[in-house]
Structure formats: structure tokens, C-alpha cells
Amino acid sequence: EMNRDTDALLLQQSRVATDLQDGLLRTRMVPFSQIAPRLHRLVRQTCRTLDKKAELRVYGADQEVDRNILERMVAPLEHLLRNAVSHGIESPEERQRQGKPATGKVAIYLGREGTDVVLSVSDDGAGVDLTAVRARAIERGLLDPAAVVSDDDILHFVLASGFSTATELTQISGRGVGLDVVNSELKQLGGTMDIGSQSGQGSNFLIRLPLTLAISEGLLARISEEVYAIPYASIEAVVRVGSSELEKLYERDAVLEYAGREYQLRYLGGILGADAASLPEGRKWFPVLLVHSGEHRIALQVDEVLGNRHIVVKSVGPQLAAIRWITGATILGDGRIALILDLPAMVRMEALKPVAPSKPTAEETEEGATVMVVDDSITVRKVTSRLLQRHNMTVLTAKDGMDAIAQMQERIPDVMLLDIEMPRMDGFEVVRHMRNTEELKNVPVIMITSRTGEKHRQRAMDLGVKRYLGKPYQESDLLDSIYSVLYETQS
């Protein structure tokens, strides 16, 4: 009898706590219509400045959004609207020649899907110039000129840091800043953005945001000893796959079929830098998360699903925020930290890897690849060396340009990772010396520097640098760059 009474009291307390929590969250909600007049005014002013005609329509303005989210979304929305009018909407004369109304249409749709707020910004303009985006990506070393990449993947290059196709800097046309600032702000809010475009018909930016910054719902998954949180919006389905079937899939082409669709099977721990997939004996079933982004679909095997949780989203520092697939962190009940993963970004990254399948892999570089790391920071040298050694590469380190040149008298590396700002001899001087030395002129150089400005990038490319990465770099980007230049050198 006492046990029954205690259970009833605990259930009642849980309901009261839930009601109180829901009431507190409702006090944070404000209607989207609060910022609608500001957005209308922005579109009118932009049109007047550019001598264009466009009208903004807002659908679902009565939807309520977390006050903090709404305040932080104002600047990204203004950026998207400026781009829609500047890059998307054509001049009235051009629109009439194409059989369109002289006045363009820009629309914002606001709705709810589960615990997410879905925001769509679209226009009926010219669409994204995929040719210009591809050319810019090749120019910046983000894409191999010979690579065959789908239009959907080309579109996502506009989210790269500092990426912009603007030929001149103006106060309207992005002010020299690309869409990476919008994507960065969305990641800090725990949101995602997907881009769609049709030539001559317009563009669409689909944004998903949590209903509130205070609490979000997610799935907890265990990889080895680490626990990660995954927002529900990122997951299409969760299935159980037998261990014997997983073994066969990993041995063959690793394609999992489900509901008439094919998913490339990956071990989530392998993508995150842990060990390869292991299937302990005695377990019959393993959970697999089905995820898609655009036309790409991936099945991610995890070690264990720990269930769903209401998670309090916390922002992470700049080092972790620079990693594409980390959107935040949460503190679990036992005090451990769980990183929140952005699976759609991970899917896009994995989908771009097989673009050049003939590039050497980590196993193929076991015998030969020697990489020289030149940086005046001992921390950078140690971290980079450990990363490369984990991928079976021989590593040489130099504390500055003079040290590097001295070491290359005895041993010439296959690839050099080079910083710019160093004592005695900076990176540009090292590259210039190598290009004027017969024995060193063919050594490919990858610059890794905090100087990410276009002036320094262009100067490096003019000197013959193969790739140019900003600090802090992503491990996958660095490895892809090394494999790419090795493949180019061998071919």
C-alpha cells in the first residue's frame, strides 16, 4: 500500500513538474509577426537601392518562436533577403523578357514539425549560378577540377567559410561575406539549413530550428565509451540489423536496403575518428540510424541507443564549433558531457569523399607517404603529427622555415604542411625557395594558417601552393587534401 501511494505521488509530482516546465517555456514564446515589418522595410529599401521591384510575403507570421531564437535570427534572415533581391531577383526588364511579372516575389513560410520550427525563404528569381559556384570552389582549392559532383553538392559549397561569388564588395551584395555567417549562426542555435535552386525559377533556403533554446528532444547514442546526442529532426528512422548481416555488408559493398531505398552503411565511430566498426560476439542485434541529406542517404551503425531525452542545449567553444558536425553539447544526468551531432552535415561530408575513388587511402600510404609539418607552434606540430601517424604516415617536424630547409637537405618529404607566420623565414619565403630549387620544386605544399583572407590565399596560389586551409582546420579536410595532392603527384 505504501509503495502504491509513493508511486502515485511520484507520478503526480512528475506531471506537476512537466506542466510547470511547459508554462515556463510558453512565457519565452513570441509571435514571428514582431519582426515582419522590419523585413518588409528591408526588402523595399534594397529594391530601391538596386532599382529592382520585389515584394515580400510572410506566411504563418502568427507562429510563436522562442524570443532568443527570434532575436538572433533577425540578422541571418536579413542577409538571406538581401541576397534574394541582389543575386536572385532580376531587373524588371530582364524579367519581362523572360515572361515573368516585372515585380519579383520573395516569400517566407513559417510552420511547425514536431518540436522544430521550419522556416523557408524562397524567391522566383534566377536561382544560384552553379557555374560560378563551381569555378569559385575550384579556385579556392575546395574541389578537384576533374571531379564529377552533383548540383546539390555544388550548392553546399556556398556554406563554406568565406565563400562568396560577389565580384565587388558592396553594402547590399553580401558586403563581401558569404552564407557561412548564416550557417554558423544556425549551428549555434542548434538548427540546420538546406539549399535548393532551379536555374531561372528561383532558390529556396529551408531552415529548421528548435522550438526553444532551453530544451530540445534528442536521441542518445553510445560510441565506444562516449555518448552523443542526436536531434530527432536529423533521423529518418532507427532499425535493428543482425550482427551476421552487418558482417556481410561490411565485407561487401556496404549498402543497406530499407523500404525500397539504398543507404551507404558506415560506422559512426569511424567517421568521428574512433576505431573501426567492431561487432562483439554474443550480441545479435545492433542499432542503425537512417539519415538523409538531399539525395544522399547513409545508414550509421552505433554501439547502443540509450533512449530519448529532453536535453538542455549548451554552446561549445570556438575550437569545437569549427567542426562541421558539432552543433552544441549537453550535460547528462550523471554529469558527463554529450556532444550534439549534426548528421545531415556529416552525410554531405561522407557523400563527397568518393568523388575521386582512385585517391590513395590510409592503407596505401603506409609504405611511402612522408609529411613534413612546419609550424612555430609546438602544440600544432604535436597535434598534427599524432593525427598523421594514426593514418600510417611518416612525419617530419620543423619549427620554422630555416629548420625545414635544413632538414630537406637530408630527406625530401612527399607533402609539406606549411604555416605562414614564422620567425627567421615565413611560409611564402619557404615556398619561393622551394620553387627555385630543382630538387624541391615538385614537392606539393599545403598551407595551414590563421590568415584566411583572399589576398594571402591568392598570393599562396600564385606561388604554386596546392591547397590552402584555415586554422582551426578539420581533420577530414586535412586528410582529404593530403590524399588529393598525393594522387595528383602520382598521376
Side-chain angles (χ1 to χ4, degrees):
E1 181 96 7
M2 291 180 64
N3 285 338
R4 284 197 299 270
D5 290 344
T6 303
D7 289 341
L9 287 172
L10 289 173
L11 181 60
Q12 182 180 3
Q13 183 184 28
S14 175
R15 288 172 178 168
V16 171
T18 302
D19 291 342
L20 180 60
Q21 176 179 294
D22 291 342
L24 288 172
L25 291 180
R26 280 195 296 271
T27 63
R28 299 167 58 96
M29 311 301 283
V30 293
F32 185 82
S33 57
Q34 280 192 1
I35 66 169
R38 177 175 177 173
L39 301 180
H40 280 284
R41 185 169 60 253
L42 173 75
V43 171
R44 288 195 302 269
Q45 290 174 346
T46 306
C47 288
R48 191 159 49 245
T49 303
L50 298 175
D51 198 20
K52 294 183 177 182
K53 293 182 179 180
E55 61 177 5
L56 172 64
R57 296 181 181 179
V58 181
Y59 301 90
D62 57 338
Q63 291 280 348
E64 292 188 331
V65 186
D66 185 289
R67 182 188 301 276
N68 290 341
I69 289 181
L70 190 61
E71 290 175 353
R72 294 177 61 178
M73 275 304 296
V74 171
L77 281 175
E78 289 180 344
H79 192 101
L80 290 176
L81 293 176
R82 285 194 194 96
N83 276 1
V85 177
S86 174
H87 295 296
I89 301 297
E90 309 94 334
S91 65
E93 297 79 11
E94 179 65 24
R95 292 181 63 87
Q96 288 177 337
R97 277 197 298 270
Q98 297 179 10
K100 296 181 180 180
T103 302
K105 294 181 180 178
V106 183
I108 296 177
Y109 298 87
L110 199 68
R112 286 273 302 277
E113 287 186 9
T115 58
D116 289 336
V117 176
V118 180
L119 188 67
S120 172
V121 181
S122 60
D123 64 76
D124 64 348
V128 177
D129 188 346
L130 295 178
T131 304
V133 173
R134 182 184 179 90
R136 187 65 169 165
I138 293 173
E139 179 186 338
R140 291 191 52 185
L142 300 175
L143 181 65
D144 191 324
V148 179
V149 184
S150 68
D151 289 349
D152 183 62
D153 292 328
I154 289 290
L155 273 174
H156 284 87
F157 278 117
V158 302
L159 302 181
S161 178
F163 194 98
S164 178
T165 57
T167 56
E168 59 180 354
L169 306 185
T170 68
Q171 286 299 314
I172 298 298
S173 185
R175 289 157 297 171
V177 181
L179 287 171
D180 62 300
V181 293
V182 177
N183 193 43
S184 175
E185 185 67 20
L186 288 174
K187 281 184 62 176
Q188 293 181 29
L189 292 173
T192 60
M193 180 167 65
D194 199 15
I195 309 173
S197 177
Q198 289 186 335
S199 179
Q201 299 184 30
S203 306
N204 179 64
F205 295 84
L206 185 63
I207 298 170
R208 293 181 179 273
L209 292 163
L211 184 62
T212 174
L213 284 179
I215 293 179
S216 178
E217 290 192 44
L219 190 72
L220 295 185
R222 182 178 62 82
I223 303 295
S224 187
E225 301 299 323
E226 300 295 329
V227 178
Y228 296 92
I230 303 166
Y232 280 145
S234 304
I235 305 173
E236 191 174 340
V238 181
V239 297
R240 291 197 309 166
V241 181
S243 57
S244 58
E245 183 179 353
L246 280 176
E247 287 180 0
K248 293 177 182 177
L249 289 172
Y250 280 126
E251 291 172 359
R252 298 199 308 268
D253 54 3
V255 174
L256 176 67
E257 293 189 7
Y258 180 80
R261 295 170 177 168
E262 292 187 346
Y263 297 80
Q264 287 291 327
L265 181 63
R266 299 282 192 277
Y267 177 55
L268 183 56
I271 298 176
L272 296 173
D275 297 331
S278 60
L279 304 175
E281 296 183 3
R283 286 190 61 180
K284 294 182 178 180
W285 304 94
F286 288 87
V288 176
L289 313 181
L290 304 183
V291 188
H292 82 279
S293 177
E295 59 186 24
H296 304 298
R297 299 180 183 277
I298 288 185
L300 297 171
Q301 180 223 326
V302 298
D303 294 337
E304 185 181 2
V305 170
L306 304 177
N308 64 310
R309 296 286 192 279
H310 288 282
I311 55 178
V312 179
V313 181
K314 302 287 187 180
S315 61
V316 293
Q319 290 83 4
L320 290 178
I323 301 177
R324 257 179 273 180
W325 55 80
I326 294 180
T327 61
T330 186
I331 302 176
L332 304 179
D334 58 2
R336 288 184 295 170
I337 303 296
L339 295 176
I340 302 173
L341 303 180
D342 180 5
L343 293 190
M346 192 178 291
V347 169
R348 291 193 294 271
M349 181 201 70
E350 286 296 298
L352 284 172
K353 279 189 176 180
V355 168
S358 56
K359 291 178 186 176
T361 60
E363 290 76 12
E364 293 172 326
T365 61
E366 183 174 5
E367 294 182 358
T370 300
V371 182
M372 175 175 281
V373 181
V374 186
D375 199 300
D376 59 333
S377 168
I378 187 173
T379 303
V380 171
R381 296 200 300 271
K382 285 185 176 180
V383 170
T384 308
S385 298
R386 292 193 189 109
L387 168 65
L388 300 180
Q389 287 166 355
R390 287 202 305 268
H391 289 80
N392 303 318
M393 300 182 196
T394 302
V395 182
L396 308 174
T397 61
K399 60 185 178 182
D400 55 35
M402 292 290 287
D403 187 19
I405 290 174
Q407 291 192 40
M408 284 190 289
Q409 301 295 325
E410 300 179 1
R411 184 170 184 181
I412 299 176
D414 298 311
V415 183
M416 174 182 282
L417 308 184
L418 182 63
D419 189 18
I420 291 180
E421 297 176 300
M422 295 181 294
R424 297 202 294 176
M425 180 181 283
D426 65 21
F428 292 131
E429 293 172 329
V430 173
V431 177
R432 194 177 296 110
H433 171 84
M434 292 173 64
R435 294 300 170 255
N436 293 324
T437 305
E438 187 65 28
E439 297 81 9
L440 304 176
K441 67 179 183 180
N442 294 323
V443 176
V445 176
I446 300 174
M447 271 197 168
I448 306 175
T449 175
S450 57
R451 292 195 171 188
T452 56
E454 190 58 32
K455 179 180 70 174
H456 296 95
R457 180 186 299 274
Q458 191 58 51
R459 183 181 175 190
M461 294 302 176
D462 291 342
L463 289 173
V465 171
K466 295 293 185 181
R467 299 289 187 274
Y468 196 96
L469 302 178
K471 292 181 181 179
Y473 62 83
Q474 297 179 28
E475 293 184 358
S476 60
D477 289 345
L478 177 60
L479 293 172
D480 286 346
S481 297
I482 293 174
Y483 295 148
S484 297
V485 297
L486 283 174
Y487 169 67
E488 292 169 7
T489 305
Q490 292 171 6
S491 58

